[in-house]
Amino acid sequence: MLVVSGLLLSGCGGHPKGVLTPVADTAPQSHRVEMLIATTRSPSVSRGEMFTGERARAPNFADITVSVPPDGARKVGEVSWPKKLPPNPATDFATLKADMIDIDAAKAWLNTSVRKTPDGSALVFIHGFNTRFEDSVYRFAQIVQDSGVRSAPILVTWPSRGSLLAYGYDRESTNYTRNALENLFQYLAKDAEVKEVSILAHSMGNWLTLEALRQMAIRNGGLPAKFKNVMLAAPDVDVDVFRSQIVDMGTPHPQFTLFVSRDDRALAVSRRVWGDVARLGSIDPEQAPYKQELADADIKVIDLTKVKAGDRLNHGKFAESPEIVRLIGARISDGQTLTDNRIGLGDTILAATTGTAAAAGNAAGLLLAAPVAIVDANTRDNFSSQLDALGPAGMSRSKPLPKCQAASSVNCRKQ
């Protein structure tokens, strides 16, 4: 078991379970985000949980509508988790609809939603490590709302146990989901209603995304022209493996945009775990050999090293800047270029978003994906079960941890 001291996250609170139980829409000014769910998670016996972190034998689909509080009722860029249930749509994120559907209904949802977009586009989001199902749903709803994306939103959520102690399980779950994601990409490529596809992946979700695209390219002799943009945020991917994946995809390939940060502490740990080979998300894009290789492959880079992060691991920076989130939305919806590695984030990005930056959002701590055994608020209730799973060789426990025993005493005294 990996133990990395000094990376404990602050805070001891969580959020209520069962937030996916639908409630009435009692806030007329709230925003609605409708999304299609494609998942390899197993269904839960609890309606309010909907899907667990375990693996299903076949993909499942769902139709979910999330209510985002009215403008001014929340801090832009944050998920307003309800403090108690049922949530209040006037102040909290709330689930208005959460229906399991079959594959035919999923296809019908996609066609109907794509027709409503101005350009026949779809956005596919693949989350990272340590992510419960409800976290991925609400975070994606927040990104869609705050970025102003006008594409049909598709959330691909793979079996993550939502525990920082389950890194190995989560990693294998991405491999388990690889064929299912390729099948989705193949369907989008063949669907005449879908004119354009954009992909946004974070951390471990990048491995899944790149492998599915690689498989598709090898099988089809290339990637379809309608796959326009692939945005790789803090990718936890071996840089040598990435070189091979790009070659296997051939040319032309989608426009890749890479979000990097040289002070990403989660990727620094991952580098040590995986044999001291650089992780793609923490390279210096101005240094050899990366600068020339990125230019040769026509990969755009956004270097977020100087951007102040809201989490101690500096792993979610791409989603913490209102300007960057807005530019992501612009790229998806309007085909605009984000930036390149020669352009800074200050006045240039502010100028590029004049008049719209105020409407943009950040997603502090979005889908945190750290390949280390850290215990934080969102995983505390999983901690005991993970220790029990280690058996006699591990740290067996007969009782669950008290509320704040799993976190640092300094952080818990803040409560």
Side-chain angles (χ1 to χ4, degrees):
M1 182 176 69
L2 298 172
V3 178
V4 180
S5 62
L7 293 182
L8 291 172
L9 304 181
S10 62
C12 291
H15 56 72
K17 302 297 186 292
V19 297
L20 296 179
T21 301
V23 299
D25 186 5
T26 57
Q29 302 304 314
S30 65
H31 305 283
R32 287 189 174 196
V33 177
E34 301 174 357
M35 68 180 74
L36 175 66
I37 310 296
T39 182
T40 50
R41 294 176 185 255
S42 290
S44 171
V45 295
S46 169
R47 187 184 184 193
E49 183 183 29
M50 204 166 185
F51 290 101
T52 71
E54 302 308 302
R55 299 165 187 160
R57 291 294 182 92
N60 290 294
F61 302 91
D63 176 1
I64 292 183
T65 300
V66 176
S67 172
V68 178
D71 297 339
R74 68 178 174 108
K75 184 177 180 180
V76 174
E78 293 185 355
V79 173
S80 300
W81 287 97
K83 295 180 175 60
K84 62 180 181 179
L85 297 180
N88 178 4
T91 57
D92 307 326
F93 274 53
T95 304
L96 304 182
K97 179 181 182 182
D99 294 337
M100 297 277 289
I101 58 176
D102 61 22
I103 190 169
D104 291 332
K107 293 176 180 178
W109 184 100
L110 179 62
N111 286 339
T112 298
S113 298
V114 165
R115 291 191 197 106
K116 295 178 182 178
T117 69
D119 53 3
S121 63
L123 166 64
V124 182
F125 177 63
I126 301 97
H127 64 74
F129 162 63
N130 184 30
T131 303
R132 292 174 183 263
F133 178 67
E134 68 267 24
D135 294 327
S136 67
V137 170
Y138 276 19
R139 279 303 188 187
F140 188 36
Q142 180 268 312
I143 292 221
V144 170
Q145 175 60 35
D146 289 342
S147 67
V149 169
R150 295 176 290 173
S151 305
I154 304 172
L155 171 62
V156 173
T157 172
W158 45 274
S160 168
R161 284 179 172 166
S163 170
L164 288 161
L165 297 176
Y167 182 77
Y169 174 87
D170 279 18
R171 176 77 175 193
E172 290 304 310
S173 289
T174 62
N175 293 328
Y176 181 78
T177 305
R178 185 167 41 194
N179 290 346
L181 182 57
E182 186 205 343
N183 289 339
L184 172 63
F185 287 162
Q186 295 280 14
Y187 179 80
L188 294 174
K190 295 175 183 177
D191 189 342
E193 294 287 347
V194 180
K195 310 300 183 185
E196 183 174 313
V197 177
S198 293
I199 301 167
L200 174 62
H202 182 233
S203 192
M204 193 182 285
N206 285 276
W207 169 256
L208 170 57
T209 300
L210 291 167
E211 281 293 282
L213 288 172
R214 174 182 173 273
Q215 283 189 183
M216 183 181 185
I218 292 173
R219 196 182 311 276
N220 297 359
L223 293 173
K226 70 167 68 175
F227 279 51
K228 298 292 187 181
N229 297 298
V230 178
M231 290 160 282
L232 310 175
D236 186 4
V237 176
D238 183 309
V239 70
D240 293 332
V241 175
F242 178 68
R243 289 188 182 102
S244 175
Q245 291 169 322
I246 290 295
V247 170
D248 288 343
M249 289 179 205
T251 56
H253 58 63
Q255 176 61 70
F256 283 95
T257 301
L258 173 63
F259 295 82
V260 302
S261 183
R262 296 188 299 279
D263 62 351
D264 189 318
R265 299 172 70 190
L267 294 183
V269 172
S270 182
R271 175 172 180 161
R272 292 194 293 272
V273 169
W274 294 105
D276 199 29
V277 178
R279 311 310 286 175
L280 181 61
S282 59
I283 63 171
D284 184 343
E286 288 296 320
Q287 296 299 315
Y290 308 122
K291 183 175 182 178
Q292 189 60 51
E293 290 177 343
L294 292 168
D296 291 345
D298 191 27
I299 296 174
K300 304 297 183 183
V301 179
I302 296 181
D303 190 342
L304 303 179
T305 302
K306 295 183 179 180
V307 174
K308 185 178 180 181
D311 68 86
R312 294 184 180 182
L313 296 177
N314 299 322
H315 196 54
K317 287 185 178 182
F318 83 100
E320 295 178 12
S321 164
E323 294 76 33
I324 294 298
V325 173
R326 191 64 187 181
L327 285 172
I328 289 173
R331 184 174 189 81
I332 294 168
S333 297
D334 302 323
Q336 297 179 14
T337 299
L338 284 166
T339 183
D340 60 42
N341 59 321
R342 295 176 179 269
I343 302 175
L345 294 175
D347 294 340
T348 303
I349 288 179
L350 289 172
T353 57
T354 300
T356 62
N362 58 49
L366 170 71
L367 305 179
L368 185 63
V372 291
I374 315 167
V375 182
D376 69 354
N378 291 328
T379 62
R380 187 164 300 111
D381 55 359
N382 273 2
F383 188 55
S384 293
S385 62
Q386 291 294 330
L387 291 180
D388 289 341
L390 294 176
M395 299 162 50
S396 61
R397 302 187 60 91
S398 58
K399 298 180 181 179
L401 286 173
K403 184 175 182 181
C404 274
Q405 188 174 328
S408 68
S409 59
V410 173
N411 290 333
C412 289
R413 283 198 296 267
K414 295 179 181 178
Q415 189 169 335

